[in-house]
Amino acid sequence: MQGQKPIKKFRSGNFELAFWENEKPVNDVLVSFKTMSLSRSFKKKEEDIWRNELIHLRRSDIPKLLALLQKGLEEMYLNEQNDREEED
């Protein structure tokens, strides 16, 4: 992916999702496949340097990641609701 440009990008806040076209030889035939990269840009308060975290994903990674994010979201909301109920 170095030197190559993504075929499509989406941005939300400081997150960016990019789609890449890749090729690899399989049984002497060049096979094309897509991957994604998810990045998050941030700047530390005490530094004047922008940083970028990057994760490369294959198609088989997406359902696993979605399941983890859904569980994390449920945990955050369920715990938040339980915390409020205990305060009352």
Side-chain angles (χ1 to χ4, degrees):
M1 282 193 270
Q2 284 183 324
Q4 174 183 358
K5 291 187 177 187
I7 56 176
K8 191 176 257 188
K9 286 184 188 181
F10 297 97
R11 180 176 287 281
S12 179
N14 61 330
F15 287 95
E16 182 178 88
L17 183 68
F19 288 86
W20 304 87
E21 186 74 39
N22 299 279
E23 295 178 335
K24 76 175 184 178
V26 175
N27 299 328
D28 296 327
V29 176
L30 204 54
V31 176
S32 179
F33 63 99
K34 292 184 176 101
T35 58
M36 293 188 319
S37 61
L38 177 63
S39 64
R40 180 179 75 108
S41 299
F42 62 97
K43 187 175 176 181
K44 291 187 175 182
K45 289 181 183 180
E46 61 275 357
E47 297 178 9
D48 197 30
I49 300 170
W50 279 94
R51 304 203 181 256
N52 192 43
E53 296 174 331
L54 181 65
I55 301 172
H56 297 285
L57 303 164
R58 293 182 179 242
R59 182 175 26 196
S60 62
D61 296 331
I62 297 167
K64 299 169 195 171
L65 181 58
L66 287 173
L68 285 172
L69 289 171
Q70 183 64 41
K71 285 293 182 187
L73 183 62
E74 289 171 10
E75 181 69 21
M76 291 176 99
Y77 278 106
L78 291 175
N79 278 343
E80 183 178 299
Q81 184 65 33
N82 289 338
D83 291 344
R84 284 189 199 145
E85 288 172 0
E86 288 175 6
E87 289 174 0
D88 292 338

